[in-house]
Amino acid sequence: MHFFGYRGSNFYAEGVPVQKIIKECGTPVYIYSSKTLKRHYEAYGAAFAKVPHLICYSIKANSNIAVLKTFANEGSGFDIVSGGELFRALKAGAEPKKIVFSGVGKRDDEIEFALKKGILMFNVESPEELAAINRIARRLRKKAAIAIRVNPDVDPKTHPYISTGLKKNKFGIETAQALKEYINAKNNLRNLTPIGVDCHIGSQITKIEPFIDALAKTRELLKTLRSEGIDIQYLDMGGGLGITYDTEAPPHPSKYGEAVIDGTRGLGVTLIFEPGRSMVGNAGILATKVLYTKKGSEKNFIIVDAAMNDLARPSLYGSYHAIKAVKESHGEEITADVVGPICESGDFLAKDRILPSVKSGDCLAVMSAGAYGFSMSSNYNARPRAAEVMVDGREFHVVRERESLADLIRGERLVPEGRRRRK
Ligand SMILES: *Cc1c(COP(=O)(O)O)cnc(C)c1O
């Protein structure tokens, strides 16, 4: 559920006409609904109200500090995958004791930063990483709480680029080896305290079964670890619950909750969840303006001012995003590709889409753009990145200014003329 929709013929974000935001902020612009963000957090909270749990919003889905602050105010924890995300979380007022650190390639400086801030735990993905965290913790005279991310070899039946829990994926440690690593950590790595088991099998998962299959495997490991005298207190189920972009019908968090609570009954653990997409995906849209329309003999094109640098998902995964006219018209329709100005044929937002026959200057709303939208954006083709706006009831606030041309070259320098090496 979200708070975007038509009132009469005008498209609204909560109580604000999208056209009004466009008039003040220009296009392309990301627009987030704070009510939707809060509702999604509450849906998870309600789903797990009966059991000890911690929701750690996965920052990489949308890392704007105003989004993070909205969740922090609700009591959310955070799942980070870099020192940069830790910095953002702390700027937004996150409690370090509610932060988990995931990712296959944590650098020494990032591990040190997280240890000094006192995060809840590291989700460790390799034996060498265990050794690195132990070494850094020893130097800092600290104990690092860890979970091992197990790779349960479960097929989440999602896009191959976003499935992570198969043996062929780079993520986690296979279950049998994970057991050995826990025992090694307990016996030999004095500055580590194993407190959790972690598992994240992929993204945009629209069925409950893969989660339950993964849970069955991690539950066995957890029991074995306890019998080895390793005091596991946390079971981190990762994120990955899908959303409706088109016709998908993913389980509601309450259904997911029922299944997980059922599968963990009697374990006596605090459950951790790392939802990203399902928290922010449908809480954001990307508004864009039509620059030109072009009719070809085979295809019609609607050329807009948002491109793959703003929203990479269609180019990257062939993803579907619904597109709506900001001013609804009940006139003619056309079938067209919605494309951006970037010099790549892969630069499209929609293909062969039936749309109202818009003209230059009309605006479109690309739906479900709150997750992996702005956070994956780039400056490709020297395009300043879009502004971001947070709507709250009838008010809205710019939570990230549109980049300027000066921003494009920030930090760049010319080579000093005199020092050029002679050949
Ligand atoms: C990306 C990621 C998530 C969030 O996934 P969603 O599909 O957006 O819910 C959670 N945990 C880890 C380790 C991730 O890499």
Side-chain angles (χ1 to χ4, degrees), residues 44 56 58 60-61 79 81 102-103 123 125 149 164 171 198 200 202-205 236 238-242 274-279 371-372:
Y44 272 98
C56 292
S58 179
K60 74 178 193 283
D79 169 42
V81 292
S102 305
N123 288 336
E125 305 217 17
R149 176 171 178 177
T164 59
F171 299 99
D198 171 45
H200 169 78
S203 198
Q204 184 57 11
I205 299 168
D236 186 337
L241 203 58
E274 304 169 349
R277 188 189 310 274
S278 53
M279 296 271 274
Y372 307 105

PDB file of all heavy atoms in Angstrom, residues 44 56 58 60-61 79 81 102-103 123 125 149 164 171 198 200 202-205 236 238-242 274-279 371-372, ligand 1:
ATOM      1  N   TYR A  44       6.009  -4.474   9.352  1.00  0.00           N
ATOM      2  CA  TYR A  44       6.987  -5.436   9.872  1.00  0.00           C
ATOM      3  C   TYR A  44       6.886  -5.536  11.394  1.00  0.00           C
ATOM      4  O   TYR A  44       6.926  -6.628  11.962  1.00  0.00           O
ATOM      5  CB  TYR A  44       8.413  -5.050   9.467  1.00  0.00           C
ATOM      6  CG  TYR A  44       8.819  -5.606   8.128  1.00  0.00           C
ATOM      7  CD1 TYR A  44       8.749  -4.828   6.978  1.00  0.00           C
ATOM      8  CD2 TYR A  44       9.287  -6.914   8.009  1.00  0.00           C
ATOM      9  CE1 TYR A  44       9.117  -5.340   5.734  1.00  0.00           C
ATOM     10  CE2 TYR A  44       9.659  -7.436   6.776  1.00  0.00           C
ATOM     11  CZ  TYR A  44       9.571  -6.644   5.645  1.00  0.00           C
ATOM     12  OH  TYR A  44       9.941  -7.152   4.425  1.00  0.00           O
ATOM     13  N   CYS A  56      16.218  -4.185  10.880  1.00  0.00           N
ATOM     14  CA  CYS A  56      17.382  -3.409  10.465  1.00  0.00           C
ATOM     15  C   CYS A  56      17.194  -3.048   8.991  1.00  0.00           C
ATOM     16  O   CYS A  56      17.569  -3.827   8.098  1.00  0.00           O
ATOM     17  CB  CYS A  56      18.666  -4.211  10.655  1.00  0.00           C
ATOM     18  SG  CYS A  56      19.063  -4.511  12.386  1.00  0.00           S
ATOM     19  N   SER A  58      17.654  -2.073   5.398  1.00  0.00           N
ATOM     20  CA  SER A  58      18.857  -2.226   4.571  1.00  0.00           C
ATOM     21  C   SER A  58      19.113  -0.931   3.787  1.00  0.00           C
ATOM     22  O   SER A  58      18.413  -0.621   2.825  1.00  0.00           O
ATOM     23  CB  SER A  58      18.653  -3.401   3.621  1.00  0.00           C
ATOM     24  OG  SER A  58      19.778  -3.542   2.801  1.00  0.00           O
ATOM     25  N   LYS A  60      21.165   0.205   1.665  1.00  0.00           N
ATOM     26  CA  LYS A  60      21.531   0.338   0.255  1.00  0.00           C
ATOM     27  C   LYS A  60      20.326   0.544  -0.667  1.00  0.00           C
ATOM     28  O   LYS A  60      20.459   1.075  -1.757  1.00  0.00           O
ATOM     29  CB  LYS A  60      22.385  -0.840  -0.215  1.00  0.00           C
ATOM     30  CG  LYS A  60      21.661  -2.153  -0.424  1.00  0.00           C
ATOM     31  CD  LYS A  60      22.677  -3.190  -0.933  1.00  0.00           C
ATOM     32  CE  LYS A  60      22.053  -4.442  -1.485  1.00  0.00           C
ATOM     33  NZ  LYS A  60      21.557  -5.380  -0.458  1.00  0.00           N
ATOM     34  N   ALA A  61      19.141   0.160  -0.221  1.00  0.00           N
ATOM     35  CA  ALA A  61      17.950   0.336  -1.055  1.00  0.00           C
ATOM     36  C   ALA A  61      17.641   1.816  -1.280  1.00  0.00           C
ATOM     37  O   ALA A  61      17.205   2.208  -2.373  1.00  0.00           O
ATOM     38  CB  ALA A  61      16.748  -0.365  -0.428  1.00  0.00           C
ATOM     39  N   ASP A  79      20.868  -2.115   8.475  1.00  0.00           N
ATOM     40  CA  ASP A  79      21.817  -3.054   7.882  1.00  0.00           C
ATOM     41  C   ASP A  79      22.697  -2.243   6.944  1.00  0.00           C
ATOM     42  O   ASP A  79      22.188  -1.593   6.030  1.00  0.00           O
ATOM     43  CB  ASP A  79      21.041  -4.131   7.104  1.00  0.00           C
ATOM     44  CG  ASP A  79      21.946  -4.993   6.231  1.00  0.00           C
ATOM     45  OD1 ASP A  79      23.030  -5.370   6.710  1.00  0.00           O
ATOM     46  OD2 ASP A  79      21.563  -5.282   5.080  1.00  0.00           O
ATOM     47  N   VAL A  81      26.366  -1.924   4.487  1.00  0.00           N
ATOM     48  CA  VAL A  81      27.318  -2.721   3.710  1.00  0.00           C
ATOM     49  C   VAL A  81      28.599  -1.940   3.410  1.00  0.00           C
ATOM     50  O   VAL A  81      29.415  -2.379   2.609  1.00  0.00           O
ATOM     51  CB  VAL A  81      26.707  -3.239   2.384  1.00  0.00           C
ATOM     52  CG1 VAL A  81      25.620  -4.267   2.653  1.00  0.00           C
ATOM     53  CG2 VAL A  81      26.150  -2.104   1.542  1.00  0.00           C
ATOM     54  N   SER A 102      26.884  -6.027   6.960  1.00  0.00           N
ATOM     55  CA  SER A 102      26.947  -7.128   5.995  1.00  0.00           C
ATOM     56  C   SER A 102      27.914  -6.780   4.862  1.00  0.00           C
ATOM     57  O   SER A 102      28.398  -5.650   4.781  1.00  0.00           O
ATOM     58  CB  SER A 102      25.564  -7.382   5.385  1.00  0.00           C
ATOM     59  OG  SER A 102      24.595  -7.606   6.390  1.00  0.00           O
ATOM     60  N   GLY A 103      28.146  -7.743   3.979  1.00  0.00           N
ATOM     61  CA  GLY A 103      28.956  -7.478   2.780  1.00  0.00           C
ATOM     62  C   GLY A 103      30.190  -8.359   2.694  1.00  0.00           C
ATOM     63  O   GLY A 103      30.828  -8.643   3.702  1.00  0.00           O
ATOM     64  N   ASN A 123      28.153  -9.347  10.099  1.00  0.00           N
ATOM     65  CA  ASN A 123      27.751 -10.552   9.388  1.00  0.00           C
ATOM     66  C   ASN A 123      28.911 -10.928   8.462  1.00  0.00           C
ATOM     67  O   ASN A 123      29.157 -10.264   7.464  1.00  0.00           O
ATOM     68  CB  ASN A 123      26.470 -10.302   8.596  1.00  0.00           C
ATOM     69  CG  ASN A 123      25.258 -10.172   9.504  1.00  0.00           C
ATOM     70  OD1 ASN A 123      25.256 -10.687  10.632  1.00  0.00           O
ATOM     71  ND2 ASN A 123      24.232  -9.495   9.031  1.00  0.00           N
ATOM     72  N   GLU A 125      31.444 -13.054   5.988  1.00  0.00           N
ATOM     73  CA  GLU A 125      31.199 -13.840   4.783  1.00  0.00           C
ATOM     74  C   GLU A 125      32.366 -14.719   4.341  1.00  0.00           C
ATOM     75  O   GLU A 125      32.265 -15.408   3.332  1.00  0.00           O
ATOM     76  CB  GLU A 125      30.781 -12.904   3.640  1.00  0.00           C
ATOM     77  CG  GLU A 125      29.579 -12.042   4.006  1.00  0.00           C
ATOM     78  CD  GLU A 125      28.620 -11.806   2.855  1.00  0.00           C
ATOM     79  OE1 GLU A 125      28.671 -12.541   1.861  1.00  0.00           O
ATOM     80  OE2 GLU A 125      27.815 -10.858   2.970  1.00  0.00           O
ATOM     81  N   ARG A 149      27.480 -15.415   7.858  1.00  0.00           N
ATOM     82  CA  ARG A 149      26.434 -15.494   6.843  1.00  0.00           C
ATOM     83  C   ARG A 149      26.544 -16.839   6.163  1.00  0.00           C
ATOM     84  O   ARG A 149      27.534 -17.118   5.496  1.00  0.00           O
ATOM     85  CB  ARG A 149      26.591 -14.371   5.821  1.00  0.00           C
ATOM     86  CG  ARG A 149      25.583 -14.474   4.691  1.00  0.00           C
ATOM     87  CD  ARG A 149      25.617 -13.264   3.823  1.00  0.00           C
ATOM     88  NE  ARG A 149      24.697 -13.369   2.703  1.00  0.00           N
ATOM     89  CZ  ARG A 149      24.518 -12.396   1.826  1.00  0.00           C
ATOM     90  NH1 ARG A 149      25.189 -11.268   1.939  1.00  0.00           N
ATOM     91  NH2 ARG A 149      23.673 -12.552   0.827  1.00  0.00           N
ATOM     92  N   THR A 164      21.222 -14.579  -4.135  1.00  0.00           N
ATOM     93  CA  THR A 164      22.511 -14.564  -3.438  1.00  0.00           C
ATOM     94  C   THR A 164      22.765 -15.820  -2.623  1.00  0.00           C
ATOM     95  O   THR A 164      23.827 -15.978  -2.056  1.00  0.00           O
ATOM     96  CB  THR A 164      22.575 -13.357  -2.471  1.00  0.00           C
ATOM     97  OG1 THR A 164      21.506 -13.471  -1.527  1.00  0.00           O
ATOM     98  CG2 THR A 164      22.444 -12.047  -3.208  1.00  0.00           C
ATOM     99  N   PHE A 171      28.298 -15.027  -2.108  1.00  0.00           N
ATOM    100  CA  PHE A 171      27.932 -14.633  -0.753  1.00  0.00           C
ATOM    101  C   PHE A 171      27.986 -15.769   0.261  1.00  0.00           C
ATOM    102  O   PHE A 171      27.669 -16.911  -0.052  1.00  0.00           O
ATOM    103  CB  PHE A 171      26.527 -14.027  -0.743  1.00  0.00           C
ATOM    104  CG  PHE A 171      26.427 -12.792  -1.587  1.00  0.00           C
ATOM    105  CD1 PHE A 171      25.917 -12.855  -2.872  1.00  0.00           C
ATOM    106  CD2 PHE A 171      26.889 -11.584  -1.112  1.00  0.00           C
ATOM    107  CE1 PHE A 171      25.849 -11.717  -3.662  1.00  0.00           C
ATOM    108  CE2 PHE A 171      26.834 -10.444  -1.888  1.00  0.00           C
ATOM    109  CZ  PHE A 171      26.312 -10.507  -3.179  1.00  0.00           C
ATOM    110  N   ASP A 198      23.420 -15.810  10.328  1.00  0.00           N
ATOM    111  CA  ASP A 198      22.848 -14.882   9.349  1.00  0.00           C
ATOM    112  C   ASP A 198      22.655 -15.566   8.011  1.00  0.00           C
ATOM    113  O   ASP A 198      23.414 -16.467   7.637  1.00  0.00           O
ATOM    114  CB  ASP A 198      23.810 -13.690   9.188  1.00  0.00           C
ATOM    115  CG  ASP A 198      23.414 -12.773   8.035  1.00  0.00           C
ATOM    116  OD1 ASP A 198      22.212 -12.454   7.918  1.00  0.00           O
ATOM    117  OD2 ASP A 198      24.302 -12.377   7.255  1.00  0.00           O
ATOM    118  N   HIS A 200      20.925 -14.454   3.983  1.00  0.00           N
ATOM    119  CA  HIS A 200      20.153 -13.550   3.102  1.00  0.00           C
ATOM    120  C   HIS A 200      20.212 -14.161   1.713  1.00  0.00           C
ATOM    121  O   HIS A 200      21.292 -14.289   1.138  1.00  0.00           O
ATOM    122  CB  HIS A 200      20.758 -12.137   3.120  1.00  0.00           C
ATOM    123  CG  HIS A 200      20.199 -11.228   2.049  1.00  0.00           C
ATOM    124  ND1 HIS A 200      18.973 -10.617   2.168  1.00  0.00           N
ATOM    125  CD2 HIS A 200      20.707 -10.846   0.851  1.00  0.00           C
ATOM    126  CE1 HIS A 200      18.748  -9.893   1.069  1.00  0.00           C
ATOM    127  NE2 HIS A 200      19.784 -10.019   0.261  1.00  0.00           N
ATOM    128  N   GLY A 202      18.466 -13.425  -1.265  1.00  0.00           N
ATOM    129  CA  GLY A 202      18.229 -12.713  -2.517  1.00  0.00           C
ATOM    130  C   GLY A 202      17.210 -11.619  -2.345  1.00  0.00           C
ATOM    131  O   GLY A 202      16.813 -11.302  -1.218  1.00  0.00           O
ATOM    132  N   SER A 203      16.804 -11.056  -3.466  1.00  0.00           N
ATOM    133  CA  SER A 203      15.937  -9.890  -3.424  1.00  0.00           C
ATOM    134  C   SER A 203      14.731 -10.086  -4.337  1.00  0.00           C
ATOM    135  O   SER A 203      14.766 -10.921  -5.243  1.00  0.00           O
ATOM    136  CB  SER A 203      16.742  -8.675  -3.867  1.00  0.00           C
ATOM    137  OG  SER A 203      16.118  -7.478  -3.470  1.00  0.00           O
ATOM    138  N   GLN A 204      13.683  -9.288  -4.109  1.00  0.00           N
ATOM    139  CA  GLN A 204      12.460  -9.360  -4.902  1.00  0.00           C
ATOM    140  C   GLN A 204      11.942 -10.810  -4.949  1.00  0.00           C
ATOM    141  O   GLN A 204      11.597 -11.352  -6.003  1.00  0.00           O
ATOM    142  CB  GLN A 204      12.683  -8.760  -6.307  1.00  0.00           C
ATOM    143  CG  GLN A 204      11.457  -8.691  -7.222  1.00  0.00           C
ATOM    144  CD  GLN A 204      10.285  -7.901  -6.610  1.00  0.00           C
ATOM    145  OE1 GLN A 204      10.405  -7.220  -5.604  1.00  0.00           O
ATOM    146  NE2 GLN A 204       9.114  -8.015  -7.197  1.00  0.00           N
ATOM    147  N   ILE A 205      11.876 -11.425  -3.769  1.00  0.00           N
ATOM    148  CA  ILE A 205      11.364 -12.789  -3.628  1.00  0.00           C
ATOM    149  C   ILE A 205       9.852 -12.684  -3.381  1.00  0.00           C
ATOM    150  O   ILE A 205       9.417 -11.932  -2.521  1.00  0.00           O
ATOM    151  CB  ILE A 205      12.077 -13.510  -2.461  1.00  0.00           C
ATOM    152  CG1 ILE A 205      13.586 -13.591  -2.762  1.00  0.00           C
ATOM    153  CG2 ILE A 205      11.490 -14.898  -2.224  1.00  0.00           C
ATOM    154  CD1 ILE A 205      14.433 -14.002  -1.588  1.00  0.00           C
ATOM    155  N   ASP A 236      19.495 -13.891  12.078  1.00  0.00           N
ATOM    156  CA  ASP A 236      19.270 -12.817  11.109  1.00  0.00           C
ATOM    157  C   ASP A 236      18.772 -13.450   9.812  1.00  0.00           C
ATOM    158  O   ASP A 236      19.489 -14.219   9.171  1.00  0.00           O
ATOM    159  CB  ASP A 236      20.588 -12.060  10.892  1.00  0.00           C
ATOM    160  CG  ASP A 236      20.427 -10.836  10.006  1.00  0.00           C
ATOM    161  OD1 ASP A 236      19.461 -10.795   9.215  1.00  0.00           O
ATOM    162  OD2 ASP A 236      21.274  -9.936  10.086  1.00  0.00           O
ATOM    163  N   GLY A 238      17.927 -11.836   7.101  1.00  0.00           N
ATOM    164  CA  GLY A 238      18.190 -11.017   5.921  1.00  0.00           C
ATOM    165  C   GLY A 238      16.945 -10.279   5.458  1.00  0.00           C
ATOM    166  O   GLY A 238      15.966 -10.149   6.200  1.00  0.00           O
ATOM    167  N   GLY A 239      17.002  -9.828   4.215  1.00  0.00           N
ATOM    168  CA  GLY A 239      15.844  -9.129   3.639  1.00  0.00           C
ATOM    169  C   GLY A 239      15.330  -9.919   2.455  1.00  0.00           C
ATOM    170  O   GLY A 239      15.417 -11.144   2.446  1.00  0.00           O
ATOM    171  N   GLY A 240      14.820  -9.231   1.463  1.00  0.00           N
ATOM    172  CA  GLY A 240      14.496  -9.905   0.213  1.00  0.00           C
ATOM    173  C   GLY A 240      13.035 -10.014  -0.157  1.00  0.00           C
ATOM    174  O   GLY A 240      12.709 -10.442  -1.265  1.00  0.00           O
ATOM    175  N   LEU A 241      12.148  -9.641   0.770  1.00  0.00           N
ATOM    176  CA  LEU A 241      10.722  -9.725   0.442  1.00  0.00           C
ATOM    177  C   LEU A 241      10.417  -8.798  -0.736  1.00  0.00           C
ATOM    178  O   LEU A 241      10.838  -7.648  -0.751  1.00  0.00           O
ATOM    179  CB  LEU A 241       9.901  -9.327   1.677  1.00  0.00           C
ATOM    180  CG  LEU A 241       8.475  -9.839   1.767  1.00  0.00           C
ATOM    181  CD1 LEU A 241       8.434 -11.362   1.715  1.00  0.00           C
ATOM    182  CD2 LEU A 241       7.824  -9.350   3.051  1.00  0.00           C
ATOM    183  N   GLY A 242       9.687  -9.332  -1.706  1.00  0.00           N
ATOM    184  CA  GLY A 242       9.430  -8.580  -2.932  1.00  0.00           C
ATOM    185  C   GLY A 242       8.283  -7.588  -2.798  1.00  0.00           C
ATOM    186  O   GLY A 242       7.587  -7.542  -1.785  1.00  0.00           O
ATOM    187  N   GLU A 274      16.331  -7.684   7.643  1.00  0.00           N
ATOM    188  CA  GLU A 274      17.036  -6.626   6.924  1.00  0.00           C
ATOM    189  C   GLU A 274      16.264  -6.222   5.667  1.00  0.00           C
ATOM    190  O   GLU A 274      16.793  -6.287   4.553  1.00  0.00           O
ATOM    191  CB  GLU A 274      18.440  -7.115   6.508  1.00  0.00           C
ATOM    192  CG  GLU A 274      19.305  -7.605   7.643  1.00  0.00           C
ATOM    193  CD  GLU A 274      20.568  -8.327   7.158  1.00  0.00           C
ATOM    194  OE1 GLU A 274      20.677  -8.640   5.954  1.00  0.00           O
ATOM    195  OE2 GLU A 274      21.445  -8.573   7.997  1.00  0.00           O
ATOM    196  N   PRO A 275      15.013  -5.807   5.807  1.00  0.00           N
ATOM    197  CA  PRO A 275      14.249  -5.464   4.609  1.00  0.00           C
ATOM    198  C   PRO A 275      14.730  -4.152   3.994  1.00  0.00           C
ATOM    199  O   PRO A 275      15.035  -3.193   4.707  1.00  0.00           O
ATOM    200  CB  PRO A 275      12.820  -5.316   5.140  1.00  0.00           C
ATOM    201  CG  PRO A 275      12.980  -4.901   6.558  1.00  0.00           C
ATOM    202  CD  PRO A 275      14.250  -5.556   7.047  1.00  0.00           C
ATOM    203  N   GLY A 276      14.811  -4.134   2.688  1.00  0.00           N
ATOM    204  CA  GLY A 276      15.163  -2.908   1.979  1.00  0.00           C
ATOM    205  C   GLY A 276      14.029  -2.515   1.055  1.00  0.00           C
ATOM    206  O   GLY A 276      13.208  -1.656   1.343  1.00  0.00           O
ATOM    207  N   ARG A 277      13.968  -3.237  -0.084  1.00  0.00           N
ATOM    208  CA  ARG A 277      12.974  -2.941  -1.111  1.00  0.00           C
ATOM    209  C   ARG A 277      11.547  -2.827  -0.559  1.00  0.00           C
ATOM    210  O   ARG A 277      10.825  -1.888  -0.897  1.00  0.00           O
ATOM    211  CB  ARG A 277      13.027  -4.050  -2.166  1.00  0.00           C
ATOM    212  CG  ARG A 277      12.194  -3.786  -3.404  1.00  0.00           C
ATOM    213  CD  ARG A 277      12.137  -5.041  -4.284  1.00  0.00           C
ATOM    214  NE  ARG A 277      13.454  -5.608  -4.537  1.00  0.00           N
ATOM    215  CZ  ARG A 277      14.261  -5.232  -5.517  1.00  0.00           C
ATOM    216  NH1 ARG A 277      13.891  -4.307  -6.362  1.00  0.00           N
ATOM    217  NH2 ARG A 277      15.450  -5.797  -5.662  1.00  0.00           N
ATOM    218  N   SER A 278      11.147  -3.780   0.288  1.00  0.00           N
ATOM    219  CA  SER A 278       9.758  -3.789   0.749  1.00  0.00           C
ATOM    220  C   SER A 278       9.461  -2.616   1.686  1.00  0.00           C
ATOM    221  O   SER A 278       8.303  -2.296   1.941  1.00  0.00           O
ATOM    222  CB  SER A 278       9.429  -5.120   1.431  1.00  0.00           C
ATOM    223  OG  SER A 278      10.369  -5.391   2.454  1.00  0.00           O
ATOM    224  N   MET A 279      10.494  -1.964   2.193  1.00  0.00           N
ATOM    225  CA  MET A 279      10.287  -0.784   3.050  1.00  0.00           C
ATOM    226  C   MET A 279      10.150   0.494   2.224  1.00  0.00           C
ATOM    227  O   MET A 279       9.395   1.385   2.576  1.00  0.00           O
ATOM    228  CB  MET A 279      11.468  -0.642   4.004  1.00  0.00           C
ATOM    229  CG  MET A 279      11.598  -1.791   4.964  1.00  0.00           C
ATOM    230  SD  MET A 279      10.663  -1.547   6.475  1.00  0.00           S
ATOM    231  CE  MET A 279      11.868  -0.622   7.413  1.00  0.00           C
ATOM    232  N   ALA A 371      13.149   2.168  -4.182  1.00  0.00           N
ATOM    233  CA  ALA A 371      14.243   1.257  -3.822  1.00  0.00           C
ATOM    234  C   ALA A 371      15.183   1.069  -5.005  1.00  0.00           C
ATOM    235  O   ALA A 371      14.724   0.845  -6.128  1.00  0.00           O
ATOM    236  CB  ALA A 371      13.688  -0.102  -3.401  1.00  0.00           C
ATOM    237  N   TYR A 372      16.477   1.127  -4.740  1.00  0.00           N
ATOM    238  CA  TYR A 372      17.492   0.932  -5.788  1.00  0.00           C
ATOM    239  C   TYR A 372      17.250   1.898  -6.946  1.00  0.00           C
ATOM    240  O   TYR A 372      17.448   1.555  -8.108  1.00  0.00           O
ATOM    241  CB  TYR A 372      17.521  -0.536  -6.243  1.00  0.00           C
ATOM    242  CG  TYR A 372      17.684  -1.473  -5.066  1.00  0.00           C
ATOM    243  CD1 TYR A 372      16.629  -2.223  -4.558  1.00  0.00           C
ATOM    244  CD2 TYR A 372      18.912  -1.555  -4.411  1.00  0.00           C
ATOM    245  CE1 TYR A 372      16.772  -3.034  -3.443  1.00  0.00           C
ATOM    246  CE2 TYR A 372      19.069  -2.372  -3.294  1.00  0.00           C
ATOM    247  CZ  TYR A 372      18.002  -3.111  -2.830  1.00  0.00           C
ATOM    248  OH  TYR A 372      18.158  -3.907  -1.718  1.00  0.00           O
TER     249      TYR A 372
HETATM  250  C1  LIG B   1      20.479  -6.023  -0.306  1.00  0.00           C
HETATM  251  C2  LIG B   1      20.457  -6.712   1.005  1.00  0.00           C
HETATM  252  C3  LIG B   1      19.321  -6.656   1.812  1.00  0.00           C
HETATM  253  C4  LIG B   1      18.035  -5.998   1.378  1.00  0.00           C
HETATM  254  O1  LIG B   1      17.420  -6.705   0.373  1.00  0.00           O
HETATM  255  P1  LIG B   1      15.953  -6.299  -0.144  1.00  0.00           P
HETATM  256  O2  LIG B   1      15.672  -7.246  -1.221  1.00  0.00           O
HETATM  257  O3  LIG B   1      16.045  -4.894  -0.621  1.00  0.00           O
HETATM  258  O4  LIG B   1      15.030  -6.443   1.019  1.00  0.00           O
HETATM  259  C5  LIG B   1      19.394  -7.244   3.061  1.00  0.00           C
HETATM  260  N1  LIG B   1      20.525  -7.871   3.489  1.00  0.00           N
HETATM  261  C6  LIG B   1      21.632  -7.955   2.723  1.00  0.00           C
HETATM  262  C7  LIG B   1      22.819  -8.652   3.242  1.00  0.00           C
HETATM  263  C8  LIG B   1      21.637  -7.379   1.465  1.00  0.00           C
HETATM  264  O5  LIG B   1      22.723  -7.477   0.700  1.00  0.00           O
END
